[in-house]
Amino acid sequence: MAAVQVAASLPCEQPREAPRELSPEQDDGFRRLSARLRALQPDDSTVSRMEIHLLFDQLLSENYSEGGGVAPEDVSALLVRACQLVPLNQNHLVSKVSQLIHRLLNRLQVVVDEQNLDFLLTYTISAIQQCSSWTHMEILQALAALVYCNGSKCQKHLPDLLGKSGLLMKLSDLSHSDPEVRRAAVHCMANLCLSVPGQPYLEEPYQHVCFQAFLTILQSPKSSDMDDITFCMLLQNALKGIQSLLNGGKMRLTQTEHLGALLAVLKKAMFHGLPGLNIEMPAVLYPTPLPQYDGRSPVKPQQPESTAARPSANKKKKHKVKTKKTQQGEKAEEEEEEPCGEVEAAPGFSMDQANVCGESAWCSSPWGSQGLPVDGGRAAGRERASLPFASSSWKRVSSSESDYSDAEGGMQGKMRSYQAKVRQGALACFLSTIKSIEKKVLYGYWSAFVPDTPELGSPQSVSLMTLTLKDPSPKTRACALQVLSAILEGSKQFLSVAEDTSDHKRAFTPFSVTIASSIRELHRCLLLALVAESSSQTLTQIIKCLANLVSNAPYNRLKLSLLTKVWNHIKPYIRHKDVNVRVSSLTLLGAIVSTHAPLPEVQLLLQQPCSSGLSSSSSSATPHLNTPDGWKTFPAGPSLEEASLSSPKGSPEPCWLIRLCISTVVLPKEDSCSGSDAGSALGSTFEPSPMRLEALQVLAHLARGYFSMAQLYLMELGEVICKCMCEANPSIQLHGVKLLEELGTGLIQQYKPDSSTVPEQRVPVHLVVVFWTAMLSGPLPRALQSSEHPTLQASACDALSSILPEAFSSLPNDKQILCITVLLGLNDSKNHLVKAATSRALGVYVLFPCLRQDVIFVADTANAILMSLQDKSLNVRAKAAWSLGNLTDTLIVNMDTPDPSFQDEFSGLLLLKMLQCAIQASTDKDKVKSNAVRALGNLLHFLQPSHVERPRFAEIIEESIQALISTVVNEAAMKVRWNACYAMGNVFKNPALPLGTAPWTSQAYKALTSVVMSCKNFKVRIRSAAALSVPSKRGQYGSLEQFIQIWSALVTALQKSEDTTDFLEFKYCASLRTHICQALLHLLSLASASDLPGIQETLKLNGDMIRSYILQFLKSGAEGDDPGAVHTPQERVQMVRVALRHIYSVQALAGDTARGAIMGFLEDILTVHCDSSGGQVVLRGPSDH
């Protein structure tokens, strides 16, 4: 007997798992029947077969429940014994044992161990090969249950299953006669593709075999022998398989044909069975910015979308029907017209966690239960596909006919439900596809899925918005919106080309106008969907999709009114009964106030009266605020009045959005919107945490983008922050501290020299002092010492670093000491987040005018920073290096003060230690290195003659300069090389260093000249040219040969100043030429008589080129904001005159004609320039004639 022979090598005992709590009745029944089965011996007699039949019937009739007390190893052992007892020539028994495998594994959610699995797979494969075709359906169901979540353990059976002549390939082929068997085989393939985290996956050849098989199924029309429901389930299984390949297998769609073919079938499946729609798709979609053809069958004209885009879900309120015992003990299913799996918010809950498409339903956990109903789990995943009407993994499907009442139209209602699941499956698969390809590839197919023209009666391409507006299933609408959100996420660069501010009157439509039209159409459709939607979960997805669109659209390049429409539509939903809708509404408002801020359109919206668009006269069909005036119930303290008085006349009205957010955070919730707030704590009087957190984030966005509004509420917001920091919820505390940081940053921005805020409109310094005094007297110090919440501690440090420097000096002395003491103390923290934030804050404080001349504070800060530079965390070291750069900037600033006491008192030993640490940091990662070389340049600039003369410093100076030279020439990040060139320029500024005579001089100049001639990045070339023009004496350039090498390198760099293949570098060409011309004129103004012949030689070869660029330099001057560039025309001409006077003063060598030639060259430049500008110039003195 085949079964007995296969079992010969199987071990009898398996190690048992930890015992689980048992159900006594179920456990007794299973154990009793299992014992009887084990007692049987393989026998081909009729009596034996009858007894086996009876035992199998009893086992199948047991009422098993998920995790109902039967140990997995007992189930596996029973199934193995059952197969050993059933020879493959007994078709009926094989059918029954297959049913037993399917039922037990599904109902008890058992994953068979590898050894038993190997035996059972061998048995089922042999059964398919040897048994009659009528048994294949049950055997395939058993096979599907066995391989579910076991794909990684089936590797040795894959040739038999998926090889060229493999069983599943034959049975799933379109030519197979039995459609149910074909569907079951496809389901087995889909389960094989299902991955388990941490386990190996299908080998790549088998992945492609399965992908091609699934794709062929999706591309093929329904055969005449297949009914509609079976066809729907076949499509669902194929979609599930492709999604598993993309999710768990990390399959990459690198070939355009594969991706285009997949997108084509997904687009067709997305509209499968949608009433009134029948589209014909090409076999492959190709990436193109132009809309592609897809036909639409003639249908009756649609009703205007503004009145009814689809049948209202309230018109047909379906009631789910529960039977006493549905097949396999499943619960009856809710109809599609009801929101599926709607999730209510809990504290800390994010709607992003609600996976309406279930795109990771098969790979997020061993059970694949994410995105499934709570009672479904793994059993649902296997049963659905194994029952006679196998289904998908997007929602549980019961095959019981009693699940569909007569009122639902019987089979017609069931058909609509299956068709909706195909659409949901296609959308879930599309979502996985989006996540598996690069965005730049995805946007080539933008026009195939996103509309760009209104749908008013014209047969335009159907899109995701068609589903959003027309699909009768709220879950399908939510899935379509989730896919659209995924497409919009990260689309800012792609959408940035949109532009429609000017009227388009051309013979062709530019791509920028097409994208702008698409953005406008998305706004129109999403707002229509918002008004028409009745499902709270789908409503949440619409609003989240709008928030994604708002975050990425370039409103500064689009016509006005788009944001105004969104703003006015979303206002009524702020007090919707569903908390998730309210949270997402605030998210959308936050997106509006953070996109391209500040926008004049949003500024006007914020100034609207608080009741604008929110009055109770709103349509009763739309949720609205009952008591908008209630927002003003929070008292405004005297400090707020003071802030208002300090604002100029005609200052804007108080901002209703800020008032709303303040009320949401600190006021008790209103009864009118507390009905569905499951997320709020029992007895809590406040809004649920997600609502309050979102309100705090909106306040932070307003403080960042529209500080002129936020400053009117400065003191009141301070009270809100204090209340937040006093709460027990760490998330509320954290967001309160982040709001404080944004307010502090806004105050600092107001006082920056380049601020657009006029002094009269700034918050007065004395009021800022009051604000920060209140913060430091409140709960902020406690947050700084909250070691059990390191994230809160770190954010509190960031907030502390946002104190206005002008206000810090006016704080009470004890508050200043508190800030400094806390920061220096927290620098010893063991938590890297806290340590990084502390290092950064110290780097900010060391620049404060009132602290930077305090030698003790600077020294303490230096020691703290140097300690952090040794930390294991890269983030800590990067922040410490930035702070070290700031500290050394302070040293340079202190050099310019009349009082030399700081330089005299600063410890030489500490300087030595700083140089050593900076050298070490210059070999670290780029994040650390860029600031380490900046610090090295500053430190070498700061060294005094007394330091340089010491032997201990000579070696460290040499090491420091060698570190800079190696950074300049190495292929490091461009920011690092730029900083190294800048640092080299700083080194050259120190007259105490032996520049020109030291051995490292030639190496330094060689590195800089190499960069100025050949570096790909023009900004680095510019910085190198600037460094070469720093030395102020001829002797600092070294020997004659070295001077001429520098001169020649600059001439070559000028010649190559337009040689680049990167068009982004072209904008720096003019600035590069400006700096090179400055450097050349600077060298001429220092040249000695022995240098002139070498200069003359280069002028003979390249004089015309140099002349033209210097004339261009005199005309246009420097571009950019480089402080080292000469800006005024008078300064530029003066540089030429200084060079001319210097050459004139040089005592020429006997018989040398170079002096005269160079003077003639410069005079010619001045003459041409003055002729073109209408000026006059004195060329030579009288002794020259």
Side-chain angles (χ1 to χ4, degrees):
M1 293 183 187
V4 177
Q5 291 169 359
V6 170
S9 62
L10 197 74
C12 298
E13 293 295 328
Q14 296 289 335
R16 300 180 65 85
E17 293 182 1
R20 63 174 78 183
E21 190 177 344
L22 302 181
S23 170
E25 299 84 359
Q26 180 178 307
D27 186 49
D28 287 348
F30 178 85
R31 288 186 183 282
R32 177 172 43 80
L33 294 169
S34 180
R36 286 177 57 192
L37 189 70
R38 284 197 300 269
L40 292 176
Q41 295 300 318
D43 188 353
D44 216 8
S45 66
T46 304
V47 174
S48 177
R49 284 201 301 272
M50 290 298 296
E51 188 173 359
I52 293 172
H53 268 294
L54 182 63
L55 270 175
F56 283 176
D57 288 340
Q58 289 177 304
L59 281 165
L60 286 168
S61 65
E62 283 288 317
N63 185 22
Y64 303 105
S65 60
E66 177 185 332
V70 181
E73 62 269 21
D74 292 342
V75 176
S76 299
L78 180 141
L79 294 177
V80 168
R81 185 58 183 164
C83 291
Q84 289 171 341
L85 292 170
V86 176
L88 294 178
N89 59 1
Q90 297 292 329
N91 286 330
H92 287 87
L93 279 177
V94 170
S95 173
K96 201 162 279 188
V97 80
S98 298
Q99 292 176 40
L100 184 64
I101 292 172
H102 168 232
R103 177 162 173 76
L104 287 179
L105 295 185
N106 276 333
R107 299 308 295 163
L108 297 175
Q109 290 200 10
V110 171
V111 177
V112 181
D113 61 273
E114 194 162 353
Q115 282 184 303
N116 285 327
L117 177 68
D118 184 51
F119 169 80
L120 292 170
L121 282 177
T122 302
Y123 181 85
T124 51
I125 291 170
S126 300
I128 293 176
Q129 292 169 336
Q130 298 180 36
C131 294
S132 300
S133 58
W134 66 266
T135 65
H136 288 178
M137 184 64 188
E138 286 81 8
I139 299 172
L140 285 171
Q141 287 179 346
L143 181 61
L146 286 167
V147 300
Y148 186 86
C149 287
N150 265 329
S152 61
K153 302 172 187 173
C154 304
Q155 298 290 347
K156 72 184 237 180
H157 298 283
L158 292 180
D160 293 332
L161 296 172
L162 298 176
K164 286 186 178 181
S165 57
L167 289 175
L168 295 182
M169 302 309 296
K170 288 181 180 178
L171 296 175
S172 65
D173 192 80
L174 297 173
S175 60
H176 196 275
S177 58
D178 188 339
E180 284 289 351
V181 170
R182 195 190 321 158
R183 184 207 55 75
V186 172
H187 178 243
C188 286
M189 291 172 64
N191 278 6
L192 269 173
C193 295
L194 179 61
S195 68
V196 178
Q199 295 292 330
Y201 198 66
L202 277 182
E203 295 172 6
E204 195 168 334
Y206 292 117
Q207 289 188 38
H208 288 289
V209 166
C210 291
F211 177 80
Q212 200 56 53
F214 296 141
L215 196 61
T216 303
I217 289 163
L218 293 170
Q219 289 171 333
S220 304
K222 182 173 78 70
S223 58
S224 57
D225 61 343
M226 183 177 287
D227 64 80
D228 289 334
I229 288 181
T230 303
F231 183 57
C232 285
M233 292 188 289
L234 177 68
L235 295 178
Q236 290 177 59
N237 287 324
L239 290 166
K240 164 189 164 184
I242 290 179
Q243 190 179 356
S244 293
L245 287 170
L246 294 172
N247 284 352
K250 306 299 180 187
M251 183 176 174
R252 293 295 169 211
L253 299 167
T254 52
Q255 296 183 24
T256 304
E257 287 75 15
H258 283 172
L259 178 59
L262 176 59
L263 292 179
V265 296
L266 288 181
K267 184 170 182 180
K268 186 171 184 179
M270 278 161 44
F271 299 99
H272 181 78
L274 191 65
L277 201 63
N278 180 26
I279 65 168
E280 293 297 328
M281 288 296 300
V284 178
L285 284 177
Y286 291 100
T288 169
L290 301 176
Q292 288 200 59
Y293 168 81
D294 63 8
R296 186 205 291 253
S297 298
V299 293
K300 294 180 181 179
Q302 299 288 337
Q303 292 181 336
E305 290 173 354
S306 57
T307 55
R310 58 179 175 273
S312 170
N314 293 327
K315 291 181 182 177
K316 282 189 179 181
K317 209 69 173 176
K318 306 286 177 83
H319 301 281
K320 65 179 182 180
V321 178
K322 289 189 180 180
T323 59
K324 291 183 179 179
K325 184 186 289 185
T326 58
Q327 182 175 344
Q328 303 285 2
E330 289 184 353
K331 293 183 180 179
E333 174 190 5
E334 289 188 13
E335 276 305 297
E336 282 297 315
E337 281 77 3
E338 292 297 317
C340 293
E342 200 162 313
V343 185
E344 292 193 348
F349 174 81
S350 167
M351 275 307 296
D352 290 331
Q353 297 164 1
N355 193 343
V356 294
C357 278
E359 72 274 12
S360 52
W362 305 294
C363 64
S364 59
S365 71
W367 302 112
S369 59
Q370 183 176 334
L372 299 173
V374 174
D375 63 337
R378 178 177 181 271
R382 283 200 296 214
E383 280 184 78
R384 286 196 302 267
S386 307
L387 292 173
F389 295 113
S391 130
S392 73
S393 294
W394 296 286
K395 193 177 174 187
R396 296 186 64 214
V397 175
S398 169
S399 62
S400 172
E401 291 292 342
S402 61
D403 285 350
Y404 297 88
S405 67
D406 292 337
E408 295 168 342
M411 286 300 293
Q412 188 179 359
K414 186 176 183 180
M415 186 68 230
R416 285 198 302 270
S417 176
Y418 275 95
Q419 288 172 338
K421 288 175 178 64
V422 172
R423 298 197 295 275
Q424 292 159 22
L427 289 164
C429 194
F430 190 14
L431 194 59
S432 296
T433 306
I434 290 170
K435 293 178 179 179
S436 68
I437 59 176
E438 293 183 35
K439 281 294 174 75
K440 65 180 180 182
V441 175
L442 172 67
Y443 293 138
Y445 301 91
W446 173 273
S447 61
F449 297 97
V450 182
D452 60 5
T453 53
E455 199 178 336
L456 301 175
S458 63
Q460 66 135 45
S461 287
V462 290
S463 67
L464 287 166
M465 290 315 308
T466 310
L467 287 173
T468 303
L469 290 167
K470 304 291 177 66
D471 200 295
S473 161
K475 185 174 181 184
T476 309
R477 298 197 296 272
C479 285
L481 288 159
Q482 194 173 359
V483 170
L484 183 57
S485 282
I487 292 174
L488 289 170
E489 189 174 349
S491 63
K492 183 172 286 186
Q493 185 175 358
F494 172 71
L495 296 180
S496 65
V497 302
E499 200 270 327
D500 72 344
T501 50
S502 58
D503 291 333
H504 167 63
K505 295 179 181 177
R506 303 183 203 174
F508 66 95
T509 304
F511 182 65
S512 59
V513 174
T514 302
I515 296 298
S517 174
S518 189
I519 292 172
R520 300 187 80 84
E521 183 61 10
L522 280 173
H523 279 80
R524 187 187 74 84
C525 293
L526 286 170
L527 292 179
L528 279 176
L530 182 72
V531 173
E533 189 54 65
S534 57
S535 159
S536 293
Q537 186 184 15
T538 310
L539 198 58
T540 302
Q541 288 296 329
I542 293 171
I543 299 171
K544 288 173 66 177
C545 195
L546 272 168
N548 250 334
L549 176 59
V550 168
S551 297
N552 291 285
Y555 294 99
N556 53 335
R557 295 168 57 89
L558 301 173
K559 289 178 182 175
L560 297 177
S561 81
L562 285 179
L563 285 175
T564 302
K565 289 175 183 175
V566 175
W567 186 275
N568 291 333
H569 273 79
I570 200 59
K571 272 185 176 182
Y573 293 90
I574 297 167
R575 294 291 173 87
H576 191 274
K577 65 178 181 180
D578 186 273
V579 66
N580 293 324
V581 175
R582 299 206 303 277
V583 171
S584 56
S585 299
L586 274 179
T587 303
L588 176 53
L589 288 170
I592 292 173
V593 298
S594 60
T595 184
H596 298 281
L599 286 173
E601 183 180 0
V602 177
Q603 191 93 25
L604 290 173
L605 292 171
L606 289 169
Q607 293 174 16
Q608 286 180 351
C610 63
S611 59
S612 176
L614 294 162
S615 64
S616 57
S617 63
S618 303
S619 169
S620 59
T622 307
H624 60 272
L625 293 169
N626 295 325
T627 56
D629 293 335
W631 297 353
K632 297 182 178 180
T633 55
F634 193 86
S639 300
L640 175 60
E641 293 173 12
E642 184 180 357
S644 301
L645 289 172
S646 66
S647 299
K649 292 181 180 180
S651 60
E653 290 291 324
C655 175
W656 70 266
L657 183 55
I658 293 180
R659 174 60 55 211
L660 166 68
C661 291
I662 290 175
S663 304
T664 302
V665 174
V666 300
L667 287 185
K669 63 184 176 186
E670 297 178 13
D671 294 336
S672 61
C673 61
S674 59
S676 63
D677 292 346
S680 55
L682 189 63
S684 170
T685 59
F686 293 110
E687 287 280 0
S689 290
M691 188 76 179
R692 300 176 72 204
L693 292 173
E694 202 61 50
L696 285 167
Q697 288 194 54
V698 174
L699 287 172
H701 290 317
L702 284 163
R704 187 182 307 123
Y706 298 89
F707 188 76
S708 59
M709 293 281 183
Q711 73 181 62
L712 299 174
Y713 296 80
L714 181 63
M715 302 308 294
E716 191 173 357
L717 288 172
E719 295 175 34
V720 172
I721 291 165
C722 288
K723 288 184 179 180
C724 288
M725 286 194 286
C726 289
E727 291 201 18
N729 186 337
S731 295
I732 297 289
Q733 294 178 13
L734 179 64
H735 281 76
V737 173
K738 287 185 178 295
L739 174 57
L740 174 60
E741 182 189 357
E742 292 294 349
L743 289 172
T745 303
L747 290 166
I748 290 173
Q749 294 295 332
Q750 276 196 339
Y751 278 84
K752 283 192 171 179
D754 57 351
S755 171
S756 59
T757 308
V758 296
E760 294 77 20
Q761 291 181 344
R762 295 174 181 167
V763 178
V765 172
H766 72 89
L767 193 60
V768 181
V769 172
V770 172
F771 174 81
W772 278 109
T773 302
M775 292 296 103
L776 293 167
S777 302
L780 181 58
R782 188 168 67 248
L784 285 162
Q785 296 168 5
S786 179
S787 56
E788 67 275 15
H789 299 302
T791 308
L792 177 63
Q793 259 188 312
S795 292
C797 288
D798 290 336
L800 210 60
S801 69
S802 67
I803 298 178
L804 181 69
E806 291 86 341
F808 186 88
S809 58
S810 301
L811 284 174
N813 196 46
D814 62 323
K815 302 304 178 194
Q816 293 186 33
I817 293 172
L818 170 68
C819 293
I820 295 168
T821 306
V822 167
L823 289 177
L824 289 171
L826 285 176
N827 196 68
D828 294 328
S829 172
K830 301 299 181 185
N831 185 278
H832 67 91
L833 288 175
V834 178
K835 199 162 186 176
T838 305
S839 295
R840 181 189 170 276
L842 287 171
V844 172
Y845 274 40
V846 81
L847 295 174
F848 283 4
C850 63
L851 294 177
R852 66 187 178 208
Q853 292 187 2
D854 185 334
V855 176
I856 295 175
F857 169 73
V858 174
D860 288 345
T861 301
N863 282 312
I865 290 170
L866 294 181
M867 185 176 71
S868 296
L869 268 177
Q870 310 301 319
D871 198 85
K872 292 180 181 178
S873 165
L874 174 61
N875 190 38
V876 172
R877 298 199 305 277
K879 299 292 186 186
W882 179 82
S883 294
L884 182 62
N886 283 6
L887 189 144
T888 56
D889 286 343
T890 289
L891 299 183
I892 302 303
V893 171
N894 286 335
M895 289 176 68
D896 298 331
T897 56
D899 184 6
S901 59
F902 182 91
Q903 299 173 58
D904 297 338
E905 294 175 16
F906 197 79
S907 166
L909 195 59
L910 182 56
L911 267 178
L912 203 64
K913 190 176 176 185
M914 289 166 72
L915 280 166
Q916 289 169 339
C917 287
I919 292 168
Q920 183 181 348
S922 70
T923 61
D924 205 330
K925 303 288 185 184
D926 284 350
K927 283 185 177 181
V928 180
K929 190 184 296 185
S930 60
N931 282 299
V933 294
R934 174 166 74 104
L936 273 177
N938 283 334
L939 288 168
L940 291 171
H941 183 190
F942 179 76
L943 291 177
Q944 306 303 303
S946 58
H947 298 133
V948 177
E949 291 166 2
R950 297 183 200 172
R952 295 180 63 185
F953 273 88
E955 186 178 345
I956 204 72
I957 290 171
E958 173 77 24
E959 284 183 41
S960 302
I961 292 173
Q962 290 300 333
L964 289 179
I965 291 169
S966 65
T967 308
V968 168
V969 296
N970 286 345
E971 291 295 323
M974 293 307 169
K975 181 181 178 182
V976 177
R977 298 182 75 182
W978 189 96
N979 274 355
C981 292
Y982 184 89
M984 199 66 84
N986 261 340
V987 174
F988 292 170
K989 290 176 184 177
N990 190 345
L993 294 175
L995 179 62
T997 58
W1000 48 260
T1001 302
S1002 60
Q1003 295 173 276
Y1005 285 128
K1006 185 178 179 182
L1008 291 172
T1009 53
S1010 170
V1011 167
V1012 82
M1013 288 189 293
S1014 60
C1015 183
K1016 293 178 182 178
N1017 186 284
F1018 276 28
K1019 291 174 81 172
V1020 177
R1021 288 200 205 182
I1022 290 167
R1023 185 44 50 203
S1024 177
L1028 287 171
S1029 61
V1030 167
S1032 56
K1033 297 177 182 177
R1034 169 59 186 87
Q1036 292 178 319
Y1037 284 101
S1039 66
L1040 167 63
E1041 291 76 12
Q1042 192 162 281
F1043 184 88
I1044 297 302
Q1045 283 173 3
I1046 296 169
W1047 170 271
S1048 300
L1050 288 168
V1051 171
T1052 304
L1054 191 60
Q1055 203 168 11
K1056 293 180 176 180
S1057 59
E1058 290 185 3
D1059 294 352
T1060 179
T1061 55
D1062 186 354
F1063 75 96
L1064 293 174
E1065 297 296 330
F1066 277 115
K1067 61 182 175 180
Y1068 301 114
C1069 286
S1071 182
L1072 173 60
R1073 287 193 292 271
T1074 294
H1075 282 81
I1076 293 174
C1077 288
Q1078 279 183 233
L1080 288 171
L1081 291 171
H1082 178 70
L1083 287 175
L1084 282 174
S1085 67
L1086 297 176
S1088 64
S1090 58
D1091 300 325
L1092 300 184
I1095 293 173
Q1096 183 188 17
E1097 287 300 316
T1098 56
L1099 291 179
K1100 285 178 182 178
L1101 295 172
N1102 301 292
D1104 292 341
M1105 180 271 296
I1106 298 171
R1107 181 186 295 106
S1108 65
Y1109 282 132
I1110 291 181
L1111 284 169
Q1112 191 178 333
F1113 161 68
L1114 294 176
K1115 278 184 186 177
S1116 59
E1119 296 181 8
D1121 56 354
D1122 194 306
V1126 177
H1127 290 279
T1128 67
Q1130 294 81 5
E1131 288 175 324
R1132 296 194 294 270
V1133 172
Q1134 185 61 25
M1135 286 193 72
V1136 181
R1137 287 177 175 162
V1138 167
L1140 179 59
R1141 280 199 295 267
H1142 173 75
I1143 299 298
Y1144 171 73
S1145 67
V1146 170
Q1147 186 67 40
L1149 300 174
D1152 185 13
T1153 59
R1155 175 172 170 271
I1158 295 171
M1159 287 176 64
F1161 175 78
L1162 294 173
E1163 287 170 352
D1164 183 43
I1165 289 174
L1166 285 174
T1167 301
V1168 173
H1169 175 69
C1170 292
D1171 286 347
S1172 62
S1173 60
Q1176 292 183 350
V1177 62
V1178 176
L1179 298 179
R1180 302 197 191 191
S1183 61
D1184 278 36
H1185 295 287

